[in-house]
């Protein structure tokens, strides 16, 4: 090996014919932080040996009157034979004008561009989902929609290159796969929300939402089922035969309060204000806490619930935790009542329908149900024929004089009974309590 050539206090240089054994045995000389061993076989190829023991192959070349150093690889991974082969290929590229330092700069620029303009998948997984987990209770559903439908469609595209046609294609793809219009719309709403957030967060300098002009599909699949007073009576009676004794309290309370299933199951005794007959709901669908006013009948049911160590009003007596799913107990109840098509949520629907059919103002119903928008409440406004007839009579009475001037109108209109119209009444609830049995909720008709 030739003598070391002093370059600075940190570096020594020497030019030798490198061999693999020489590269393996080379160490940094005392008093220096690193040494460079230049190869006589390939111009510019050298091995840098550091005082830490690390070794790296480099290629030095000149381009446009400037000296450049290009890293080939770590000597623990790259052997001398392959380092020479790479160096020779780079010399060929340099002769053609393909300079490594320009390629590196282009790669850095591309990385910076990708950081500034992420793909939709990168935005979804790295920015949107962390936000959704923090702010949305439905984040698991969002993640499912993303992986199942959205990302396979245009997740690979840069977020600023996703077009309206891509989103329409997603909608058509789901529709052709026979997904319900409501499901297609939920995915579209999610995409729209994600792009609105991207614009708000100034991702990729976005200024327009490509989904803004994509129309929602018309939905005609809303299930509108509300119970009659007779059906309510059968349903409440069937709860007494349930293997889950808490169902005889859960079902009546859902009917008497209009609470969502999750709101009732997670309600705690500490949230109940007996003096004001109200229940505080800290976790609601809208995300905003609210108070629910309880009727005398609802308070009667609550007062008869056996107290246990559970902090929940209708908690599981065995686990003391709230029920996560009551369908296994609900299914035999509805079947015994002869109502196999009735869902738990239909009890809330029925509560709203009874209110509206009793003449309660729709805005009051909105507040009692805790709806954020009045349009949601209007779905529950299933006015019966009697209510509509009375409403029509208001206009008829106001205009009776003017109309009778030109048209002969009989003084007595046919009665509702003559038209064989079914008059639905709001059921009233009585609690029948016996010292030896649990309280029973009895539904009384209009004559009760």
């Amino acid at each position: 090996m030739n003598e070391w050539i002093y370059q600075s206090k940190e570096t020594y240089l020497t030019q030798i014919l490198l061999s693999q054994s020489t590269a393996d045995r080379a160490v940094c000389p005392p008093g220096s932080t690193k040494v460079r061993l230049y190869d006589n076989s390939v111009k510019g190829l050298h091995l840098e040996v550091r005082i830490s023991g690390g070794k790296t192959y480099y290629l030095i070349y000149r381009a446009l009157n400037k000296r450049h150093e290009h890293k080939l690889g770590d000597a623990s991974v790259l052997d001398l034979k392959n380092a020479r082969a790479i160096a020779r290929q780079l010399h060929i590229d340099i002769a053609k004008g393909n300079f490594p330092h320009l390629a590196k700069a282009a790669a850095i620029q591309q990385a910076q561009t990708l950081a500034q303009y992420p793909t939709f998948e990168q935005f979804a997984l790295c920015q949107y989902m962390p936000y959704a987990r923090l702010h949305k209770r439905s984040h698991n559903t969002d993640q499912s929609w993303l992986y199942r439908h959205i990302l396979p469609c245009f997740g690979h595209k840069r977020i600023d290159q996703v077009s309206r046609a891509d989103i329409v294609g997603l909608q058509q793809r789901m529709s052709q796969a026979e997904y319900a219009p409501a499901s297609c719309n939920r995915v579209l709403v999610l995409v729209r929300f994600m792009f609105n957030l991207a614009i708000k967060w100034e991702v990729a300098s976005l200024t327009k939402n490509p989904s803004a002009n994509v129309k929602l599909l018309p939905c005609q699949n809303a299930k509108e089922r509300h119970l009659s007073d007779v059906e309510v009576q059968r349903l409440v009676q069937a709860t007494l035969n349930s293997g889950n004794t808490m169902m005889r309290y859960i079902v009546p309370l859902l009917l008497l309060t209009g609470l969502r299933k999750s709101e009732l199951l997670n309600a705690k005794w500490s949230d109940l204000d007996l003096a004001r007959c109200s229940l505080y709901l800290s976790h609601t669908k809208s995300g905003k806490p609210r108070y629910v006013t309880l009727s005398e009948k609802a308070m009667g049911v609550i007062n008869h619930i056996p107290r246990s160590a559970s902090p929940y009003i209708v908690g599981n007596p065995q686990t003391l935790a709230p029920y996560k799913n009551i369908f296994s107990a609900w299914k035999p109840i509805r079947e015994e009542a002869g109502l196999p098509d009735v869902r738990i949520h239909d009890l809330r629907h029925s509560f709203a329908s009874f209110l509206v059919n009793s003449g309660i103002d729709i805005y009051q119903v909105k507040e009692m149900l805790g709806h954020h928008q009045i349009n949601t409440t209007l779905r529950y406004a299933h006015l019966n024929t009697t209510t509509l007839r009375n409403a029509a009579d208001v206009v008829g009475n106001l205009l009776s004089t003017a109309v009778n001037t030109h048209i002969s109108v009989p003084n007595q209109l046919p009665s509702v009974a003559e038209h064989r119209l079914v008059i639905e009444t709001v059921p009233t609830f009585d609690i029948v309590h016996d010292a030896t049995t649990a309280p029973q909720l009895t539904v009384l008709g209009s004559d009760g």
Side-chain angles (χ1 to χ4, degrees):
M1 181 180 293
N2 296 346
E3 285 188 7
W4 301 112
I5 302 175
Y6 178 77
Q7 184 185 36
S8 67
K9 291 183 179 180
E10 293 82 21
T11 307
Y12 282 85
L13 302 175
T14 187
Q15 191 164 354
I16 61 174
L17 182 62
L18 277 176
S19 66
Q20 188 63 54
S21 60
T22 302
D24 293 339
R25 294 196 311 269
V27 294
C28 186
S32 179
T33 58
K34 61 183 177 181
V35 63
R36 293 174 181 171
L37 305 180
Y38 283 83
D39 184 30
N40 284 334
S41 175
V42 180
K43 182 179 180 180
L45 175 63
H46 69 274
L47 175 68
E48 180 182 276
V49 183
R50 294 176 291 278
I51 194 171
S52 63
K55 303 175 184 180
T56 306
Y57 285 106
Y58 288 91
L59 177 67
I60 292 179
Y61 65 95
R62 295 189 67 83
L64 304 176
N65 296 323
K66 288 186 179 181
R67 181 179 179 274
H68 300 276
E69 187 174 54
H70 183 71
K71 181 179 177 180
L72 303 184
D74 194 286
S76 62
V77 178
L78 187 66
D79 59 17
L80 178 60
K81 180 180 178 180
N82 287 317
R84 284 171 172 165
I86 294 173
R88 290 190 179 100
Q89 182 59 49
L90 286 175
H91 276 302
I92 295 174
D93 293 339
I94 291 169
K96 294 179 179 179
N98 301 323
F99 302 114
H101 66 282
L102 296 181
K104 182 178 180 180
I108 294 174
Q109 179 64 35
Q110 184 179 12
Q112 293 174 342
T113 301
L114 288 177
Q116 185 179 0
Y117 297 94
T119 64
F120 187 86
E121 181 174 5
Q122 289 171 331
F123 167 75
L125 302 183
C126 299
Q127 297 186 59
Y128 174 73
M129 282 309 303
Y131 170 86
R133 293 187 187 98
L134 186 62
H135 296 282
K136 296 183 67 177
R137 288 187 298 165
S138 60
H139 61 85
N140 287 330
T141 303
D142 289 358
Q143 182 170 297
S144 176
W145 289 130
L146 280 169
Y147 280 112
R148 186 176 299 179
H149 302 292
I150 303 173
L151 297 184
C153 194
F154 49 77
H156 63 284
K157 302 188 70 171
R158 272 178 29 179
I159 190 169
D160 60 314
Q161 294 178 346
V162 177
S163 65
R164 180 179 180 275
D166 294 321
I167 298 172
V168 171
L170 167 64
Q171 192 180 53
Q172 293 175 346
R173 177 177 173 178
M174 290 188 64
S175 181
Q176 291 171 358
E178 297 184 354
Y179 282 91
S183 298
C184 299
N185 290 342
R186 280 193 288 269
V187 171
L188 176 57
V189 169
L190 174 58
V191 171
R192 186 169 294 165
F193 177 64
M194 292 177 68
F195 271 104
N196 284 337
L197 283 181
I199 294 172
K200 181 179 179 181
W201 296 341
E202 299 179 348
V203 176
S205 302
L206 286 174
T207 57
K208 294 183 179 180
N209 189 329
S211 65
N213 294 321
V214 180
K215 293 184 178 181
L216 297 174
L217 299 179
C219 289
Q220 303 295 336
N221 61 340
K223 295 182 179 180
E224 300 180 355
R225 176 71 162 92
H226 61 284
L227 302 174
S228 66
D229 55 343
V230 175
E231 290 174 329
V232 170
Q233 187 170 358
R234 297 206 312 264
L235 190 64
V236 172
Q237 184 65 34
T239 63
L240 303 180
N241 301 324
S242 173
N244 185 339
T245 57
M246 294 305 294
M247 292 300 289
R248 66 184 62 186
Y249 309 106
I250 293 174
V251 171
L253 284 175
L254 290 174
L255 284 164
L256 289 167
T257 62
L259 292 174
R260 297 180 179 90
K261 178 185 67 175
S262 61
E263 293 174 341
L264 177 60
L265 297 184
N266 291 288
K268 296 182 178 180
W269 289 107
S270 58
D271 298 327
L272 184 64
D273 189 334
L274 295 176
R276 298 182 178 179
C277 296
S278 66
L279 179 66
Y280 176 71
L281 301 177
S282 57
H283 299 287
T284 63
K285 185 177 180 180
S286 65
K288 298 180 180 180
R290 66 185 180 99
Y291 284 92
V292 175
T293 301
L294 301 174
S295 66
E296 180 182 350
K297 302 297 184 183
M299 290 299 300
V301 175
I302 292 175
N303 289 334
H304 286 89
I305 297 176
R307 293 297 295 265
S308 65
S310 174
Y312 298 94
I313 297 176
V314 289
N316 189 322
Q318 282 72 43
T319 65
L320 306 183
Y323 288 101
K324 292 184 178 180
N325 194 326
I326 57 174
F327 181 76
S328 59
W330 167 251
K331 184 179 179 181
I333 290 174
R334 67 180 185 179
E335 289 177 349
E336 181 180 336
L339 305 168
D341 63 321
V342 174
R343 306 162 301 165
I344 282 284
H345 194 70
D346 291 329
L347 306 186
R348 174 175 166 87
H349 194 173
S350 299
F351 172 81
S353 298
F354 289 141
L355 290 175
V356 173
N357 286 333
S358 297
I360 304 300
D361 182 77
I362 193 68
Y363 288 94
Q364 288 182 286
V365 177
K366 169 183 174 293
E367 293 301 318
M368 295 179 72
L369 294 175
H371 285 158
H372 184 64
Q373 296 180 342
I374 189 64
N375 287 340
T376 308
T377 314
L378 292 174
R379 289 187 60 240
Y380 293 96
H382 301 294
L383 299 175
N384 60 27
T385 309
T386 303
T387 307
L388 294 175
R389 176 68 175 270
N390 292 337
D393 284 342
V394 171
V395 178
N397 293 333
L398 290 174
L399 301 180
S400 60
T401 303
V403 172
N404 286 334
T405 302
H406 302 284
I407 303 174
S408 177
V409 180
N411 294 327
Q412 183 65 37
L413 293 175
S415 66
V416 174
E418 290 173 338
H419 276 288
R420 306 185 63 169
L421 296 176
V422 178
I423 302 177
E424 294 184 347
T425 59
V426 180
T428 57
F429 297 84
D430 277 353
I431 297 177
V432 181
H433 182 65
D434 187 276
T436 59
T437 61
Q440 301 179 15
L441 192 66
T442 303
V443 185
L444 303 178
S446 56
D447 298 330

